[in-house]
Amino acid sequence: MSPFLPAQPAGRFRLKVWQDISPDLNTALPLTPQLMGNRPEAFTDTMRMLNEQFGYEDFNINIGCPSSPVVRHTRGCGLMPHPDRVEAIVKEITSKTNFRLSLKMRLGLHSPDEGRELLHRLDNYPLDFLVIHPRLGDDLYEGTPHWDLFEEFHKRTTHTIVYSGDIFSVEDYQRLSERFPDVAGWMLGRGLLRNPFLAEEIKGMPTSDRISRFKAFHHDLVTELLPIRGESGTLANLKELWHYYADFIQMPDEELQEMLRINDLANFLQATESIAK
Ligand SMILES: Cc1cc2nc3c(=O)[nH]c(=O)nc-3n(C[C@H](O)[C@H](O)[C@H](O)COP(=O)(O)O)c2cc1C
């Protein structure tokens, strides 16, 4: 699934935003574009445009992002206390297009009652699946997910459920998949950034040559980011990612902080080269 991209009304598409999801740049895995917004027509306009431009036929809607600028504009998790608005979006898409649709949600913004109401409403619409990250928006990423509420939500809906949240190790995955055997899919987020081999480990695949494969991956990442983001954009993206990669190569925090102070891409890359030897 792509990171969230803005649902925009026809005539206001900013093509640069869509470069990331060009099928030419996403050949390794099937990609589902994820959209965020709050106007029903903006979703259908954007979906039609992405279908015409790139051939995409399935889409995900983000009603889970808890970041305050997003929530303040009644987007992402900010929509969860407004079931009428979410329903209007889902109704517009499912009644006016033939695209496959899924949603990514939390338990609610302030209360699980918001999620309960939404699940009830969404039962009436043909959705591919619901991804549930079992925290409230108010929790941000703190504490542990509310697994008991996840269990309750799973029972309440007729929709297929995908789980997202705090899978950082093979043991986490095993524990959760034993507890929730009916979950149809497992979404990895920060765990996969902290350990890029986590999916292979969960699948029981051999993960030898980890550092050399990580370096090759990092090299490819930089090569592909540069033409899209330019030097300063690439540096900004890498700095964000290195908060997680530092965990993978067990870089002490002082070294990470020093590296994050570098303001020039070439020097930053040199620092990553010498560290991951
Ligand atoms: C920096 C950051 C950016 C995120 N961006 C998105 C996003 O664009 N779309 C989305 O559905 N979830 C996004 N998430 C949420 C994750 O998909 C996931 O639901 C959440 O982090 C919990 O799962 P995890 O513990 O496996 O990371 C983001 C999370 C973080 C920390």
Side-chain angles (χ1 to χ4, degrees):
M1 204 168 282
S2 76
F4 67 78
L5 295 162
Q8 299 164 334
R12 291 193 33 210
F13 297 131
R14 284 179 292 124
L15 284 179
K16 209 159 178 245
V17 172
W18 307 108
Q19 276 178 323
D20 266 0
I21 58 164
S22 158
D24 304 342
L25 296 175
N26 292 283
T27 51
L29 292 169
L31 180 79
T32 299
Q34 184 187 71
L35 300 178
M36 180 190 281
N38 55 23
R39 302 230 162 97
E41 300 75 27
F43 281 97
T44 45
D45 285 357
T46 304
M47 289 174 179
R48 289 193 183 104
M49 182 276 287
L50 292 176
N51 176 258
E52 277 164 29
Q53 288 263 332
F54 298 131
Y56 286 115
E57 290 178 342
D58 76 302
F59 298 94
N60 181 269
I61 296 181
N62 181 319
I63 56 165
C65 179
S67 112
S68 50
V70 167
V71 167
R72 222 179 304 125
H73 288 100
T74 331
R75 298 195 177 105
C77 202
L79 274 171
M80 288 205 69
H82 305 282
D84 288 346
R85 297 189 70 171
V86 177
E87 193 174 353
I89 292 166
V90 170
K91 188 173 182 182
E92 175 83 5
I93 298 165
T94 53
S95 64
K96 301 228 175 117
T97 77
N98 289 320
F99 300 133
R100 297 207 315 275
L101 183 65
S102 59
L103 265 76
K104 172 109 186 296
M105 59 188 276
R106 288 194 174 217
L107 298 170
L109 176 60
H110 307 301
S111 155
D113 283 341
E114 297 160 11
R116 291 185 182 108
E117 173 64 20
L118 256 183
L119 289 183
H120 173 63
R121 307 262 192 126
L122 292 174
D123 262 349
N124 301 324
Y125 297 92
L127 298 176
D128 249 12
F129 54 87
L130 294 172
V131 189
I132 300 182
H133 172 47
R135 281 188 171 92
L136 293 170
D138 286 344
D139 295 333
L140 297 173
Y141 295 92
E142 278 150 30
T144 48
H146 304 285
W147 289 298
D148 289 349
L149 287 170
F150 178 77
E151 188 164 8
E152 182 206 313
F153 274 42
H154 193 352
K155 285 191 186 129
R156 274 176 181 268
T157 179
T158 56
H159 288 302
T160 300
I161 293 295
V162 170
Y163 173 91
S164 161
D166 290 41
I167 300 177
F168 297 119
S169 65
V170 177
E171 293 71 35
D172 290 339
Y173 168 74
Q174 279 167 345
R175 182 174 38 82
L176 290 166
S177 58
E178 273 163 31
R179 177 160 177 190
F180 305 116
D182 296 333
V183 161
W186 301 88
M187 182 179 271
L188 301 179
R190 294 166 298 170
L192 196 58
L193 294 173
R194 286 188 197 171
N195 171 11
F197 297 94
L198 181 58
E200 291 180 14
E201 288 173 9
I202 287 173
K203 292 271 182 187
M205 293 160 73
T207 60
S208 51
D209 305 326
R210 291 159 71 106
I211 289 294
S212 61
R213 284 176 63 205
F214 175 73
K215 285 174 103 169
F217 158 73
H218 193 266
H219 179 268
D220 285 353
L221 181 66
V222 175
T223 310
E224 295 198 4
L225 278 175
L226 258 173
I228 305 177
R229 302 258 190 269
E231 289 209 3
S232 62
T234 300
L235 181 62
N237 280 170
L238 289 178
K239 283 187 179 182
E240 204 176 330
L241 288 168
W242 270 86
H243 282 102
Y244 299 97
Y245 296 158
D247 243 55
F248 173 62
I249 63 159
Q250 296 174 342
M251 181 190 287
D253 195 50
E254 310 86 74
E255 270 182 52
L256 172 67
Q257 295 311 326
E258 203 175 307
M259 205 170 96
L260 295 176
R261 280 196 287 273
I262 300 175
N263 279 324
D264 163 273
L265 182 63
N267 288 336
F268 187 87
L269 291 178
Q270 205 168 3
T272 65
E273 287 281 318
S274 55
I275 286 155
K277 260 189 187 135

